[in-house]
Amino acid sequence: MVDDRKLAVLRAIVEDYVSTNEPVGSKALADRHNLGVSPATIRNDMAALEEQGYIHQPHTSAGRVPTDKGYRLFVDRLSQVKPLTGAERRAIETFLAGAIDLDEIVTRTVRLLAQLTRQVAVVQYPSLTRSTVRHVEIVPLADRRVMLVLITNTGRVEQRVVDLPDAIGDDRVAHLRAVLNASLDGCGLSNVPDRVADLPDRLSAEDRPVAVTLLSVILETLVERHEEKIVFAGAANLAAADFSVGLRDVLEALEEQVVLMRLLGETGDLSELTVRIGSENPYTGLRGTSFVAAGYGAGDKELARLGVLGPTRMDYPVTMGAVRAVARYVGQILAGS
Amino acid sequence: MVDDRKLAVLRAIVEDYVSTNEPVGSKALADRHNLGVSPATIRNDMAALEEQGYIHQPHTSAGRVPTDKGYRLFVDRLSQVKPLTGAERRAIETFLAGAIDLDEIVTRTVRLLAQLTRQVAVVQYPSLTRSTVRHVEIVPLADRRVMLVLITNTGRVEQRVVDLPDAIGDDRVAHLRAVLNASLDGCGLSNVPDRVADLPDRLSAEDRPVAVTLLSVILETLVERHEEKIVFAGAANLAAADFSVGLRDVLEALEEQVVLMRLLGETGDLSELTVRIGSENPYTGLRGTSFVAAGYGAGDKELARLGVLGPTRMDYPVTMGAVRAVARYVGQILAGS
DNA sequence: CCCTGGCACTCGATTGTCCCGAGTGCCAAG
DNA sequence: CTTGGCACTCGGGACAATCGAGTGCCAGGG
């Protein structure tokens, strides 16, 4: 039914359409790729492919264009991820190595990815929930006001100003700090609630109200900020692609954290690439776009995800190569810092 | 030369063009605005206005369109900033009041402004240089590694991980923390270099190398981060405006921190609105756009600026009203927190 | 002196028509 | 199963005609 030659034809159609952005006809195919058969034969194959929904013709007397299903088959079975050139690898490395803190790592990564793929790059901040507490700091600001700072092993810092029920002296601050750190140091963020459940009971009556307030803020921070921050870059590349229709929708989607969350949300194996094509996307405004995502993390835990959004008609092998490479390098950087 | 009636005509042209987005002719003007004169008279006035460069006709037999110079005159002398409605004010207030930290204030502000004006909003983070140190914190992470946290009176937090030349114990950390806070508390950030110049001399030989390292990082942070962070929102509104040409340039400009810096950069009095129209913009890609900016700050110091970017053909009175109002409210929020 | 109505003119946009060519589907022969 | 031939379809570009909004100018009137 779908023999090898038909697959070869489909591959050729995808490749040509991606590079020319014009519906591709049987003659052009026969010329450009040496398939060893005549245009007429190709026409027959095309008819079969269309019958099965892999390609589609915009109007009679036009060439064929791959459907989402066609791209899917292409990605799954007909293409190989294309590794980056040595020069590109080196560029990534030096560019990312210059980053001094988490913010900058993320910012540089997203720009890098956008530039590399000439599309829109999306990067999620390393997850709080999957990282561990490295340190808790309590900074007195006034008698009844402190700043609470949570530092994680991924270099992320969360801070909140807290108003306390009682005034509190430096010595008690030091004590609470010591207690909190003893309880939480190295603790996975998702385990924090368990770890601190009985903490107030172990404290003096004097310390208890303050501790309760602090703990509730800590827990709140962990929950509220569970919605992870996501940034994007390269919107200008959208305008270059001939996105005439729907550009507005795409821009809107990019500014909606929720939509981005859902885009990235799917869990996949680390170093496994996820490709979402056209109508496979969870959001209506993103029909017509495809999304290539990968998880990244320090060591072997997946901390967060990043990806690239572009027209359905994108160069999948190259894009996938770039995403995979960048994800790996970011992981290395995070592990090394 | 430019008598009152001509100005009225210019005002009418700007208003009509802004609302219809079509070149406006003499007949339409006579109909819609009761200027008390006939179309023929208006034609004469228009000819004069064109002669002086305030308006322009795309082609013979088309209506007139304001030039940048025309808009400039309109903004300077013919329009009044339009205050927001009560409902809008209340919405702003409640929306901004819910923010819990600086990041969220800025994020909410930029979204609010974008939504309010249906254009692209740009907000600069409150300047480090004009704020004061509220607290310096040193957090030991490992023997020879600490995290340095700088908290400012605007709620901004800067943190850096620092590798030290020597191992350092908790007691020495506490000592250094005390010394640094004693020197820097309440100090304007721009005065920090002076304030700490002689600090190493006042320390024991043992503490000196560590202190020097820390101070150099502090100074570095102040200088490097002097390039203030700028965020924007509402890019989708660009697509709605008929920006067919140049959209790409505009998006590129928005992602270039440098360009945004220059856009916002001009100093103006606090609560003074700056309007940059079309070719008055510092960046080529932004011809065709206008920018309305205002400074904001807690109390009477200007801390940073915010603004709105839109097509030259924008509703200036309304936009200016929104920018001014938002700037004031953000100031209040910052002052109150 | 300025305003007004009239009039001829310009020119972009719209509509309709025609034609071309790329590309198809089908069929009969190899 | 492949191939060459052939009739057919249909989008897009070129061209012409028409329409109408808007202008500039001029002569007459307050």
Side-chain angles (χ1 to χ4, degrees), chain A residues 49-60:
Chain A
L49 286 170
E50 180 156 25
E51 176 73 21
Q52 289 161 64
Y54 293 116
I55 57 179
H56 165 251
Q57 57 183 336
H59 16 262
T60 330

Side-chain angles (χ1 to χ4, degrees), chain B residues 4 40 50 72-73 75 97 127 131 149 151 247 252 257 281:
Chain B
D4 283 355
E50 180 157 23
R72 167 54 59 199
L73 184 60
V75 168
S127 167
S131 47
V149 183
I151 304 169
L247 198 158
E252 261 169 11
Q257 297 284 320
N281 274 312

Side-chain angles (χ1 to χ4, degrees), chain A residues 9-26:
Chain A
V9 170
L10 178 56
R11 177 199 279 123
I13 291 175
V14 172
E15 285 171 357
D16 271 28
Y17 182 62
V18 164
S19 69
T20 65
N21 194 18
E22 269 165 22
V24 16
S26 54

Side-chain angles (χ1 to χ4, degrees), chain A residues 18 29 53-54 92 114 160 175 182 191 197 216 238 248 259 273 325:
Chain A
V18 164
L29 270 192
Y54 293 116
I92 294 180
R160 280 282 285 280
H175 178 231
N191 302 327
S216 75
L238 280 182
R248 159 151 217 185
V259 175
L273 287 168

